[in-house]
């Protein structure tokens, strides 16, 4: 590197201009980013604190309603009378016992209808009588309710209501088996209104699956975790529980003084600070553009100062070589100009040749300026357009940006996933991005994805569920003249992963449903389920897992379609073994 070149006056002027402009602009960009990030975080904390408290207030009000409802049951004459009667086995019931049991069940059924989100209600009498109501299940006589934590807490509460933790509702069952229901139990001790002696325990089960609606957070994409007073998880939406220990997620929590439950709301710091990053990037680009302009201006200024000296210097070098021809015209009436005049007086005898040389120097200077301008104009225009482009992106159409982001995700997924098997969470993310893409096209449907978080790392093959969801969007919901719904649930049952894609679209008749998995379905019924199609998914399932996997289609005209997919539970270590076995 030629250090002497950078020691020139012109280079020093250029460097000074760039430093004096770039450093302040860089400091402004950094300060603006830090300040805006701090403000955004404070605003987000304030907003999510409000949401957290609102969630607690919503559930507190719900519990207070249950408190009032439970007191109606506890103090009801029909319940008070029922718990003072002697226990009579069902085989020995008379018409009186049957009528009394019917009246109690009718009463409890009426109570059940008053509050949404309830599962079963049961009254466990100390006299051995158990009365209950449930929308579609029967009481399990073998259930040992006295050993349940909520039962013991209710007895210890001495009449105060208590809340149990998250559990499976095992006291009720359906003879055909409809799957498990997770509940939280609201319980309180029942005392005699006359003697104040304990007579039994009232248990009201709240469905956890209905909590999002109860708390007003359904269909909003919120990241919310609800913990009970012992710190155990009651509810986790959109996989929020997995992010509790992630430093990249902002967490705001508040505890309810009534229930003792804690509501935690989370939001991604990357999304929160994206606007600040955009501003920082814009200022940095602006700094670069202004630095380029400073180079041009500094070059022009330095040239006006340095050029006369450079000319005189060059002429002196010519004289050192014995060339005395040419005359220098003073550019300014300053020290340099006086020096030039003294130099010209020394060259008076060679005026003609000096004049010609001066003319030649002027032409050369003009050509240099033209060449410099030819380089400056495209560079200046390029940087200016780049600044305008960044500004346009910063202030652009957000919906279009989200649409492109989802499309890019789908294209990357399709191009990069060359593996035979992928993780289930990747397939579910593909579905979420695809649905987001479809909904941004103003498709009139709502989408719900419910997956067991424990299954995220299990394996499946790419595009297992997406084609089925696509068929629901275009051929189930598409022909509707109303808003439709698509729901995807993923769970584990009997050593298999079960994924269900269901919609409330136009459906199909039994003949069309039976042909979906036949080889001719792609041509004969291709208009109904085309592209990758159910048949393609079915063939890949059979080739990969054999008889261990299957697809079931249940549909009726104008009643929607339900497609159930089953395949074995696989993890990373089992992939090669399962493939060899298939």
């Amino acid at each position: 590197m030629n250090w002497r070149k950078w020691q020139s006056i012109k280079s020093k002027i250029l460097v000074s201009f760039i430093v004096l402009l770039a450093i302040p602009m860089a400091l402004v960009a950094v300060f603006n980013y830090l300040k805006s990030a701090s403000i955004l975080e404070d605003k987000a904390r304030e907003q999510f604190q409000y949401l957290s408290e609102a969630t607690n207030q919503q559930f507190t009000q719900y519990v207070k309603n249950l408190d009032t409802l439970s007191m109606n049951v506890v103090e009801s004459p029909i319940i008070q009378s029922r718990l003072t009667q002697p226990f009579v086995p069902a085989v020995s019931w008379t018409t009186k016992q049957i009528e009394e049991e019917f009246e109690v069940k009718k009463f409890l059924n009426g109570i059940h209808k008053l509050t949404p989100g309830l599962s079963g209600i049961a009254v466990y009498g100390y006299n051995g009588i158990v009365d209950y109501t449930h929308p579609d299940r029967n009481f399990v006589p073998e259930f040992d309710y006295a050993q349940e934590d909520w039962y013991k807490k209710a007895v210890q509460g001495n009449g105060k209501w208590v809340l149990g933790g998250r559990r499976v509702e095992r006291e009720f069952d359906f003879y055909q088996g409809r799957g498990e229901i997770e509940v939280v139990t609201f319980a309180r001790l029942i005392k005699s209104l006359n003697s104040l002696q304990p007579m039994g325990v009232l248990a009201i089960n709240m469905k956890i699956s209905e909590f999002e609606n109860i708390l007003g957070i359904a269909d909003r994409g919120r990241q919310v975790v609800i913990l009970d007073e012992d710190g155990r998880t009651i509810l986790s939406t959109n996989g929020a529980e997995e992010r509790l220990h992630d430093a990249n997620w902002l967490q705001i929590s508040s505890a309810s003084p009534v229930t003792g439950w804690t509501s935690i709301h989370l939001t991604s710091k990357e999304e929160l600070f994206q606007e600040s990053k955009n501003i920082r990037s814009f200022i940095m680009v602006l700094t670069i553009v202004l630095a380029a302009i400073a180079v041009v201006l500094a070059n022009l200024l330095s040239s006006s100062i340095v050029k006369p000296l450079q000319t005189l210097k060059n002429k002196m070098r010519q004289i050192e070589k014995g060339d005395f021809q040419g005359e220098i015209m003073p550019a300014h009436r300053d020290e340099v100009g006086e020096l030039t005049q003294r130099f010209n007086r020394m060259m008076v005898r060679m005026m003609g040749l000096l004049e010609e040389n001066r003319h030649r120097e002027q032409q050369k200077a003009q050509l240099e300026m033209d060449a410099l301008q030819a380089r400056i104009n495209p560079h200046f225009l390029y940087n200016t357009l780049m600044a305008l482009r960044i500004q346009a992106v910063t202030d652009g159409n957000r919906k279009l940006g989200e649409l492109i982001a989802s499309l890019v995700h789908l294209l990357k997924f399709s191009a990069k996933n060359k593996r035979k098997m992928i993780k289930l969470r990747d397939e579910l993310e593909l579905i979420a991005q695809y649905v987001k893409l479809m909904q941004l096209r103003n498709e009139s449907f709502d989408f719900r994805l419910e997956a067991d978080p424990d299954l995220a790392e299990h394996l499946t093959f790419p595009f297992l569920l997406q084609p089925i969801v696509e068929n629901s969007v275009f051929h189930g919901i598409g022909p509707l003249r109303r808003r439709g719904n698509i729901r995807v649930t993923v769970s584990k049952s009997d050593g298999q992963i079960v994924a269900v894609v269901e919609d409330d679209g136009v459906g199909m008749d039994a003949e069309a449903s039976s042909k979906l998995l036949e080889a001719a379905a792609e041509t004969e019924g291709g208009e109904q389920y085309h592209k990758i199609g159910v048949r393609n998914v079915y063939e890949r399932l059979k080739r990969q897992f054999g008889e261990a996997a299957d697809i079931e289609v249940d549909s009726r005209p104008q009643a929607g379609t339900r497609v159930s997919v089953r395949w074995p539970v696989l993890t990373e270590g089992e992939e090669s073994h399962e493939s060899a076995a298939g």
Side-chain angles (χ1 to χ4, degrees):
M1 181 178 292
N2 189 357
W3 292 104
R4 293 178 59 87
K5 178 180 179 181
W6 291 99
Q7 293 177 355
S8 65
I9 296 176
K10 183 175 182 180
S11 298
K12 291 177 180 179
I13 294 175
L14 286 174
V15 172
S16 299
F17 265 72
I18 294 173
V19 170
L20 291 176
L21 181 65
I23 291 180
M25 290 296 293
L27 292 176
V28 169
V30 172
F31 176 80
N32 181 275
Y33 172 73
L34 295 177
K35 189 65 177 178
S36 60
S38 176
I39 294 174
L40 286 174
E41 183 171 349
D42 291 341
K43 291 295 184 181
R45 287 184 180 277
E46 179 179 348
Q47 178 184 4
F48 280 92
Q49 185 67 35
Y50 170 79
L51 292 176
S52 180
E53 292 174 357
T55 300
N56 282 334
Q57 291 175 3
Q58 196 82 3
F59 187 73
T60 297
Q61 184 59 47
Y62 185 80
V63 171
K64 288 181 178 179
N65 292 340
L66 288 182
D67 180 31
T68 304
L69 200 68
S70 66
M71 290 304 299
N72 291 335
V73 177
V74 169
E75 297 176 357
S76 169
I78 190 172
I79 298 298
Q80 290 282 321
S81 173
R82 181 72 165 169
L83 297 183
T84 57
Q85 298 175 4
F87 175 78
V88 178
V91 295
S92 303
W93 280 5
T94 63
T95 303
K96 178 181 179 182
Q97 276 86 28
I98 295 175
E99 291 177 350
E100 289 176 348
E101 194 267 350
F102 175 78
E103 289 297 321
V104 172
K105 180 163 289 191
K106 180 179 179 182
F107 170 73
L108 293 178
N109 188 47
I111 293 294
H112 185 280
K113 294 179 179 180
L114 293 177
T115 302
L118 299 184
S119 183
I121 300 178
V123 176
Y124 303 96
Y126 283 3
N127 57 359
I129 297 176
V130 178
D131 291 308
Y132 70 92
T133 184
H134 196 285
D136 55 5
R137 301 194 178 203
N138 295 319
F139 182 77
V140 178
E142 295 80 13
F143 177 70
D144 190 2
Y145 51 84
Q147 300 301 318
E148 296 291 315
D149 289 339
W150 54 266
Y151 186 93
K152 295 176 182 178
K153 289 171 66 176
V155 173
Q156 294 172 359
N158 197 28
K160 296 181 180 179
W161 60 264
V162 297
L163 290 175
R166 180 173 182 166
R167 68 182 184 90
V168 176
E169 189 181 54
R170 294 181 291 105
E171 60 267 41
F172 299 102
D173 197 8
F174 191 77
Y175 69 92
Q176 291 183 347
R178 290 189 177 178
E180 297 178 341
I181 299 178
E182 289 188 311
V183 298
V184 171
T185 300
F186 175 101
R188 75 185 319 151
L189 189 67
I190 302 175
K191 292 184 177 182
S192 170
L193 297 180
N194 297 322
S195 64
L196 299 182
Q197 293 299 315
M199 296 191 301
V201 172
L202 168 66
I204 302 176
N205 293 338
M206 300 173 284
K207 294 181 181 178
I208 291 180
S209 61
E210 296 293 326
F211 272 18
E212 291 187 24
N213 293 324
I214 294 173
L215 300 179
I217 58 177
D219 299 328
R220 298 186 185 181
R222 293 185 189 173
Q223 304 282 339
V224 181
V225 177
I226 306 294
L227 305 177
D228 64 15
E229 57 186 355
D230 296 325
R232 295 172 298 186
T233 301
I234 297 295
L235 175 67
S236 174
T237 65
N238 301 309
E241 186 178 10
E242 300 175 1
R243 304 181 176 95
L244 284 178
H245 304 292
D246 190 344
N248 295 321
W249 286 75
L250 182 67
Q251 303 179 21
I252 305 298
S253 64
S254 64
S256 170
V258 177
T259 64
W261 287 13
T262 301
S263 168
I264 305 174
H265 286 248
L266 300 94
T267 184
S268 172
K269 290 183 179 180
E270 182 177 355
E271 296 178 359
L272 182 64
F273 299 147
Q274 186 59 47
E275 185 175 350
S276 294
K277 293 180 180 179
N278 292 338
I279 295 174
R280 179 191 61 185
S281 299
F282 169 73
I283 294 179
M284 294 302 294
V285 172
L286 182 61
T287 300
I288 295 173
V289 173
L290 292 178
I293 296 175
V295 171
V296 175
L297 296 177
N299 184 67
L300 294 175
L301 179 62
S302 62
S303 295
S304 66
I305 297 175
V306 175
K307 183 179 178 181
L309 294 176
Q310 187 69 38
T311 303
L312 183 58
K313 175 183 175 182
N314 293 336
K315 182 55 66 177
M316 288 181 177
R317 287 180 177 177
Q318 291 179 6
I319 293 176
E320 289 176 353
K321 296 178 181 180
D323 184 6
F324 295 94
Q325 297 180 357
E327 180 180 348
I328 302 176
M329 296 299 296
H332 304 284
R333 294 181 179 273
D334 52 12
E335 293 81 0
V336 178
E338 183 180 353
L339 182 61
T340 303
Q341 289 178 356
R342 290 181 181 271
F343 178 80
N344 287 335
R345 281 195 293 268
M346 294 173 57
M347 304 290 295
V348 66
R349 290 177 300 168
M350 298 170 283
M351 185 64 69
L353 185 60
L354 184 61
E355 180 67 22
E356 182 181 350
N357 187 60
R358 184 185 66 81
H359 181 69
R360 192 162 49 245
E361 287 293 326
Q362 288 180 344
Q363 289 181 334
K364 179 181 177 182
Q366 184 61 43
L367 290 175
E368 288 177 352
M369 290 299 297
D370 291 341
L372 179 62
Q373 190 66 38
R375 292 195 301 270
I376 291 173
N377 287 340
H379 188 68
F380 175 78
L381 180 60
Y382 170 78
N383 284 282
T384 303
L385 289 176
M386 284 296 292
L388 293 175
R389 176 184 175 274
I390 295 298
Q391 181 65 42
V393 173
T394 303
D395 299 333
N397 190 319
R398 183 177 180 181
K399 181 176 180 181
L400 179 59
E402 293 177 353
L403 183 65
I404 295 174
S406 296
L407 179 59
V408 168
H409 180 90
L410 295 176
L411 294 176
K412 284 184 177 180
F413 184 91
S414 178
K416 290 186 177 181
N417 276 287
K418 305 300 183 181
R419 297 180 58 193
K420 188 174 184 181
M421 303 293 285
I422 63 171
K423 292 183 179 180
L424 182 58
R425 61 177 166 81
D426 295 329
E427 178 70 10
L428 297 181
E429 176 64 17
L430 171 66
I431 294 175
Q433 293 293 338
Y434 173 76
V435 171
K436 183 178 180 181
L437 188 64
M438 291 297 100
Q439 288 179 327
L440 287 171
R441 293 176 62 247
N442 294 320
E443 294 288 352
S444 58
F445 70 92
D446 296 318
F447 177 75
R448 289 183 62 185
L449 176 59
E450 301 173 0
D452 187 344
D454 296 335
L455 301 179
E457 300 299 318
H458 289 66
L459 299 180
T460 182
F461 54 75
F463 294 99
L464 171 64
L465 302 178
Q466 186 274 336
I468 303 176
V469 174
E470 181 179 348
N471 288 331
S472 292
V473 171
F474 284 99
H475 306 292
I477 302 301
L480 284 178
R481 295 184 178 179
R482 59 174 175 80
R483 189 170 188 84
N485 296 276
I486 299 177
R487 179 185 180 191
V488 177
T489 59
V490 183
S491 60
K492 182 179 179 182
S493 176
D494 298 331
Q496 288 189 315
I497 297 178
V498 181
V500 178
V501 180
E502 53 186 334
D503 63 69
D504 58 356
V506 296
M508 66 190 84
D509 55 30
E511 181 180 358
S513 298
S514 64
K515 290 183 177 180
L516 279 179
L517 303 182
E518 296 178 2
E522 294 300 323
T523 56
E524 297 176 2
E527 287 300 314
Q528 192 70 6
Y529 280 82
H530 65 295
K531 296 184 179 178
I532 295 180
V534 178
R535 174 64 190 178
N536 183 286
V537 175
Y538 179 74
E539 289 180 351
R540 288 191 293 157
L541 270 177
K542 289 300 183 181
R543 290 175 183 174
Q544 181 68 27
F545 303 113
E547 295 302 321
D550 198 10
I551 294 182
E552 297 179 359
V553 180
D554 182 17
S555 181
R556 289 182 299 167
Q558 305 305 320
T561 301
R562 174 189 174 96
V563 180
S564 301
V565 185
R566 295 175 177 268
W567 69 95
V569 174
L570 286 180
T571 57
E572 288 281 2
E574 300 171 339
E575 177 181 359
S576 59
H577 174 74
E578 182 68 22
S579 298

